[in-house]
Structures are given as C-alpha cells and as structure tokens.
Amino acid sequence: MTKAHTPAKVRPISPCVQICQIESSTSVCEGCGRTLDEIACWGAMTEAEKAPVWERLEAEGYVSDSVR
C-alpha cells in the first residue's frame, strides 16, 4: 500500500499586509502578527523555518490558511 501524496501548502512570499504597526509592549506587528525578529530574518529563513511561523499566524487569525 502506498502513502497518499499530500501537496505542499501554497503560501504567499510573505505574510506582510502593508499595515506595519509594531505593538511596543510585544514587538509584534499588528498587521501581519510577526515579531520584529521574524520580520528581520524572513528573507533569509528557509521554508522549514517559516512553516511554524505561518502556522502560528494562521492559528491566531492573521492570515487565512487557504491560498490567497
């Protein structure tokens, strides 16, 4: 028996929604939900490193888990 192939989730390049307002007490962007560190490192992160960030943003309602 073979394992069913599950296609990889297609996501945009970045969760940025062009609403860049950092909450000073949490250092989290109110637009996309990423931390300052996540924003700063995003371009250098691998897809494997981005995956848990995407999952957290989806769970917190910052982005839809469907393809945009």
Side-chain angles (χ1 to χ4, degrees), residues 6-14 47 54 58 63-68:
T6 304
K9 187 177 283 192
V10 178
R11 293 185 169 120
I13 294 171
S14 168
E47 292 304 313
W54 278 113
E58 290 164 354
V63 294
S64 170
D65 60 358
S66 63
V67 177
R68 293 200 247 180

Side-chain angles (χ1 to χ4, degrees), residues 44-57:
M45 292 170 73
T46 65
E47 292 304 313
E49 292 168 329
K50 292 177 183 178
V53 178
W54 278 113
E55 290 168 11
R56 177 178 54 80
L57 297 177

Side-chain angles (χ1 to χ4, degrees), residues 15-37:
C16 180
V17 293
Q18 309 278 312
I19 302 172
C20 305
Q21 296 179 3
I22 305 300
E23 172 57 48
S24 60
S25 64
T26 61
S27 295
V28 171
C29 177
E30 293 179 16
C32 70
R34 292 179 294 167
T35 66
L36 285 175
D37 286 341

Side-chain angles (χ1 to χ4, degrees), residues 1-5:
M1 186 174 280
T2 61
K3 186 176 179 181
H5 175 70

